[in-house]
Amino acid sequence: MKNTLNKLYKKEKLTMITAYDALFAKIFDDIADIILVGDSLNMSFLGESDTLNATVDQMIYHTRAVCNGAKKAYIVCDMPFGSYITPQKALENAVRIYKETKADGVKLEGGAEKAEQVKLLTDNAIAVVGHIGLMPQFSRSEGGYIVKGKDEDSRKKLLEDAKAIEEAGAVMLVIEGVKEDVAREITESVKIPTIGIGAGRYTTGQVLVWSDMLGFFEDFKPKFVRRYLNGAELVRDAVKKYVDDVNNGRFPGEEEIY
């Protein structure tokens, strides 16, 4: 049965993982509650240095692939940088995503200043997941990936942002790169689920990028990531064995020929 918002609200802890294709989406589908088609694909899939030049067309392509692979998880599509600058632009692009994919919701970054966008989308039957704290689409303008909630002004701003996004109609809220005590306070102050990434232990759920947690992305490892598999090393060893078998005449063998 497809994960619905009603079903998700009943869970004490939620698990979200990224996916960009049907193959991995199908693997994750029976395990994770939510699959995020993140614009992180621009870095881990495309090899870019940040997420900023991801396009709506790219997000639609990958979301369609994920929807083809996953039939149970609640699927969220990231709205890429520049696709929701104004409320009307946000609506036009979100409508495209809804029409051209089977996504259950869209995610956009920003606090109180994006509340109007969130409201317009929710008023038009589009589920919105908010995203506050460290926002990757803001990394270039902020000079890097900066943890938030370290001082009183930042704490107040995050709380105001969370309430504004909730009041605008968001169904969930991603909190990224925020001090644990502040993320806990935010979670306790809103009635919608909070999904943490680098935000400590007290959010409603957690999200990780699949290539980080499975050890395929090797350029760097953020502090908040736990690697559950040395994926790149395992694949490398397997491919080396394949090459060695071919070079030494062990593949194909008797059982692999017609």
Side-chain angles (χ1 to χ4, degrees):
M1 181 181 290
K2 178 78 171 177
N3 283 344
T4 63
L5 284 176
N6 286 338
K7 185 177 179 182
L8 294 175
Y9 277 124
K10 293 176 182 177
K11 291 201 66 177
E12 290 186 4
K13 285 292 185 180
L14 295 170
T15 52
M16 176 188 283
I17 188 170
T18 65
Y20 316 127
D21 57 48
L23 181 64
F24 276 94
K26 188 173 182 178
I27 294 170
F28 302 151
D29 193 32
D30 286 325
I31 307 167
D33 299 308
I34 308 160
I35 293 177
L36 171 65
V37 189
D39 59 1
S40 52
L41 65 85
N42 214 45
M43 299 171 72
S44 59
F45 187 88
L46 193 59
E48 296 284 358
S49 60
D50 57 34
T51 67
L52 271 64
N53 63 352
T55 67
V56 174
D57 285 342
Q58 284 175 310
M59 298 311 302
I60 287 173
Y61 173 87
H62 287 279
T63 302
R64 286 180 65 187
V66 167
C67 290
N68 285 338
K71 306 302 180 186
K72 297 178 182 178
Y74 189 90
I75 298 172
V76 177
C77 173
D78 255 346
M79 296 193 71
F81 179 75
S83 67
Y84 51 96
I85 291 175
T86 65
Q88 191 57 40
K89 192 173 183 69
L91 182 61
E92 290 171 3
N93 285 314
V95 166
R96 266 200 71 196
I97 291 167
Y98 256 43
K99 281 187 171 183
E100 297 179 37
T101 77
K102 292 183 174 66
D104 298 295
V106 298
K107 181 171 76 67
L108 55 83
E109 297 180 11
E113 74 282 357
K114 292 294 186 292
E116 192 175 347
Q117 280 88 325
V118 175
K119 187 175 188 310
L120 184 58
L121 266 56
T122 55
D123 284 348
N124 284 277
I126 297 170
V128 180
V129 177
H131 184 146
I132 63 171
L134 189 162
M135 296 177 288
Q137 292 179 11
F138 288 63
S139 63
R140 198 178 296 174
S141 64
E142 292 186 345
Y145 299 96
I146 301 168
V147 174
K148 302 299 175 68
K150 290 184 173 181
D151 55 48
E152 184 60 17
D153 288 343
S154 180
R155 184 190 74 83
K156 286 182 179 178
K157 175 70 165 61
L158 287 166
L159 286 164
E160 289 169 3
D161 285 341
K163 293 299 290 184
I165 294 300
E166 179 188 32
E167 289 169 6
V171 298
M172 275 184 279
L173 183 65
V174 170
I175 305 173
E176 179 170 1
V178 170
K179 296 286 288 182
E180 182 179 70
D181 60 326
V182 178
R184 183 177 191 172
E185 189 175 1
I186 293 168
T187 298
E188 292 172 350
S189 72
V190 298
K191 294 182 175 63
I192 57 175
T194 58
I195 308 295
I197 178 166
R201 295 163 287 182
Y202 301 106
T203 51
T204 312
Q206 299 289 334
V207 58
L208 283 177
V209 173
W210 80 265
S211 52
D212 287 339
M213 67 170 291
L214 297 181
F216 283 90
F217 187 75
E218 298 180 297
D219 290 3
F220 60 88
K221 177 185 169 293
K223 180 181 180 180
F224 59 80
V225 169
R226 179 178 295 180
R227 282 190 176 153
Y228 289 87
L229 186 75
N230 291 320
E233 184 179 332
L234 290 171
V235 170
R236 229 179 257 116
D237 289 345
V239 174
K240 286 177 181 176
K241 190 172 189 313
Y242 158 68
V243 170
D244 186 58
D245 284 350
V246 171
N247 288 336
N248 288 282
R250 292 190 295 267
F251 178 81
E254 190 67 33
E255 65 276 18
E256 291 136 351
I257 59 175
Y258 297 102

